[in-house]
Amino acid sequence: MSVPTVSVLMPVYNGSDYLQESIDSILNQTYSDFEFVIIDDCSTDNTWEILNFNAQRDHRIKLLQNPENLGLIKTLNKGIKAAQGKYIARQDADDISLPERLEREVEVLDRQPDCILVSSNIQVIKGSNKKIIEIMRKACKPELLPWYLLFYNRIGGHSQVMYRQDVVVAMGGYSEVRPHVEDYELWCRFSRTGKMMVIIPEIFLTYRRHGQSISAKKSKEQESNRYKQVKENIDHLTEKDISIEEAKTLMGFWKGNRESIFEVWHHRFPSASQVEFVHESLTELKKCFVEKYQDLFPTVNLSDELNHLIGEQFLFWLRSPLTKDHNIASKIKITPYVLLWNPNILVVVVNWLLWLLRFPIDSLISLYRKAFAKGISQDL
């Protein structure tokens, strides 16, 4: 039997509710040169029966069963060792891969030897309802992906990713240092290798949100480990030691774009009192980033790209809706930093005018009075 090009890796624990649909989404791929490594982590429902039924109808399925419950990370690493393909495609037992996913991802890795990971945009459904409730647009320029990864998991989910087997083996697989964000931790290590990662600007995964997912059940621990990973990323790049709170502030600046409707309450922009810290930190981070990554992308001017990107994010901060932490005084304080990164006075003036025209004059006067009543000096 010939060695397959791709090993699709699926760990599963008590996943019977959505398991068959997930399996079918892989077996029905337009690309067929794969093995499907499925590891049951001692499920107590009828997961094993479903897996055996499918293994009998398709020889590409390779079943493993843990003698005891090992947890996700150990199970993933066990699967990596069992995988024979030169590429590993992840698949969770509750998600759905679109039919052309494997074919398109193999094309990218075959065509670009310096690319070690390929991902895609994601669509989201809730539970068993097939209605799409969100599109997660993760695609960006490859040279900017390591920058985004400093602050948050730009790649997003896990089930849409394919990466090179030899690279992940050489790096020791998934680390147990960051449970529940083990994928993000691995992508950050990938970003330090000097190799490229690509996010295809098409949707190849339907991600299912439900109450039994790790994100739902372990949200507090997951969030805490995200902050720790951001701190490690920044410490590694700058060779300094920032605090968790500083890491949280920088993550908030980049996640303040509210790219996901499910993250709106968790990732507001920082307070305007922190704008100077954000500006100074990004100035240093940009310098370190350009020194490290410019040679990897010789055809682009990373410094100019980052100036534009950071300027756009400051502008978005300026335009963001008013809250108790983001009042008119805050907008005034943020404005000069927008100009430092994006020295286009016309753009800033237009954005102020558009905001003022959209804002009811009575509400504007009311908020203006409240701001001064509390003392603008506290915010400035």
Side-chain angles (χ1 to χ4, degrees):
M1 186 175 179
S2 61
V3 176
T5 300
V6 177
S7 294
V8 181
L9 175 55
M10 174 193 282
V12 55
Y13 174 72
N14 288 348
S16 60
D17 287 351
Y18 308 113
L19 181 58
Q20 188 59 58
E21 191 173 12
S22 184
I23 291 173
D24 287 342
S25 76
I26 294 297
L27 298 183
N28 294 329
Q29 290 286 305
T30 58
Y31 185 87
S32 60
D33 185 19
F34 65 84
E35 63 173 357
F36 196 176
V37 181
I38 310 178
I39 308 177
D40 177 32
D41 194 21
C42 286
S43 296
T44 57
D45 61 3
N46 64 329
T47 287
W48 188 244
E49 287 83 354
I50 296 172
L51 295 180
N52 274 288
F53 166 77
N54 283 278
Q56 291 172 16
R57 71 186 182 106
D58 197 306
H59 70 277
R60 293 172 297 182
I61 294 178
K62 178 180 179 180
L63 295 185
L64 300 173
Q65 190 174 37
N66 292 339
E68 60 181 349
N69 184 267
L70 298 179
L72 177 60
I73 298 175
K74 284 186 171 69
T75 301
L76 283 171
N77 287 332
K78 180 177 179 178
I80 288 171
K81 291 178 181 176
Q84 298 183 64
K86 66 176 179 176
Y87 305 143
I88 292 178
R90 276 284 289 111
Q91 175 74 21
D92 285 332
D94 49 3
D95 294 335
I96 304 165
S97 287
L98 274 63
E100 294 184 356
R101 175 203 165 187
L102 297 184
E103 180 180 356
R104 293 295 305 282
E105 291 179 343
V106 168
E107 285 176 0
V108 172
L109 292 174
D110 280 350
R111 188 173 64 248
Q112 302 185 55
D114 286 339
C115 178
I116 60 175
L117 176 147
V118 59
S119 184
S120 73
N121 289 336
I122 304 164
Q123 62 189 16
V124 184
I125 61 175
K126 190 172 182 179
S128 57
N129 191 328
K130 297 299 178 60
K131 182 180 178 181
I132 297 169
I133 59 174
E134 182 186 4
I135 302 295
M136 300 172 71
R137 303 189 187 281
K138 298 294 186 178
C140 63
K141 296 178 180 179
E143 64 267 24
L144 295 179
L145 182 52
W147 174 263
Y148 285 121
L149 286 172
L150 288 171
F151 309 103
Y152 69 98
N153 187 2
R154 176 73 183 209
I155 291 173
H158 210 166
S159 291
Q160 80 288 357
V161 169
M162 182 183 291
Y163 48 78
R164 295 186 186 274
Q165 192 261 5
D166 59 343
V167 174
V168 74
V169 168
M171 299 181 74
Y174 292 87
S175 170
E176 296 184 53
V177 172
R178 299 277 183 267
H180 315 309
V181 293
E182 68 284 334
D183 52 343
Y184 179 34
E185 190 277 338
L186 182 60
W187 313 153
C188 292
R189 278 189 284 148
F190 277 176
S191 72
R192 300 169 194 160
T193 63
K195 300 291 185 180
M196 187 183 302
M197 295 182 285
V198 172
I199 304 180
I200 301 171
E202 297 174 52
I203 297 168
F204 287 127
L205 180 74
T206 300
Y207 174 78
R208 192 189 308 269
R209 292 186 187 273
H210 57 91
Q212 297 304 308
S213 67
I214 290 176
S215 295
K217 296 169 71 174
K218 301 287 186 179
S219 59
K220 289 185 178 180
E221 185 178 355
Q222 189 177 59
E223 190 72 1
S224 174
N225 282 332
R226 282 197 190 107
Y227 294 138
K228 291 176 182 176
Q229 185 59 48
V230 172
K231 169 180 162 51
E232 179 187 301
N233 296 339
I234 295 171
D235 288 352
H236 186 273
L237 181 63
T238 61
E239 298 182 352
K240 292 186 176 180
D241 184 16
I242 69 169
S243 69
I244 289 291
E245 283 304 311
E246 289 171 331
K248 188 174 181 179
T249 297
L250 291 169
M251 181 180 181
F253 175 77
W254 288 101
K255 291 293 284 181
N257 58 9
R258 305 180 183 192
E259 65 177 14
S260 168
I261 60 174
F262 295 95
E263 296 172 331
V264 63
W265 302 114
H266 301 290
H267 296 292
R268 293 186 183 276
F269 279 109
S271 166
S273 62
Q274 298 169 299
V275 64
E276 184 177 358
F277 164 76
V278 172
H279 165 73
E280 291 177 352
S281 297
L282 293 178
T283 300
E284 180 178 10
L285 280 165
K286 191 200 85 167
K287 178 177 179 295
C288 295
F289 187 87
V290 171
E291 289 175 354
K292 180 176 176 62
Y293 289 96
Q294 183 61 76
D295 289 345
L296 179 59
F297 301 100
T299 62
V300 299
N301 187 318
L302 268 183
S303 183
D304 287 350
E305 293 251 11
L306 290 176
N307 284 344
H308 176 76
L309 187 67
I310 296 169
E312 285 293 309
Q313 193 65 6
F314 269 104
L315 188 61
F316 196 97
W317 190 2
L318 177 67
R319 294 201 311 257
S320 64
L322 291 181
T323 67
K324 65 178 182 179
D325 297 320
H326 186 71
N327 52 33
I328 297 173
S330 298
K331 286 181 177 290
I332 293 170
K333 184 165 186 178
I334 293 166
T335 299
Y337 291 94
V338 177
L339 290 168
L340 283 171
W341 288 100
N342 183 9
N344 189 330
I345 296 176
L346 181 61
V347 170
V348 175
V349 171
V350 167
N351 273 276
W352 264 100
L353 288 174
L354 288 174
W355 180 80
L356 289 169
L357 289 171
R358 288 197 308 266
F359 201 84
I361 189 65
D362 291 339
S363 298
L364 180 61
I365 293 171
S366 175
L367 282 170
Y368 189 77
R369 287 173 176 170
K370 286 180 182 178
F372 276 89
K374 292 181 180 178
I376 291 181
S377 60
Q378 292 180 3
D379 190 68
L380 296 176

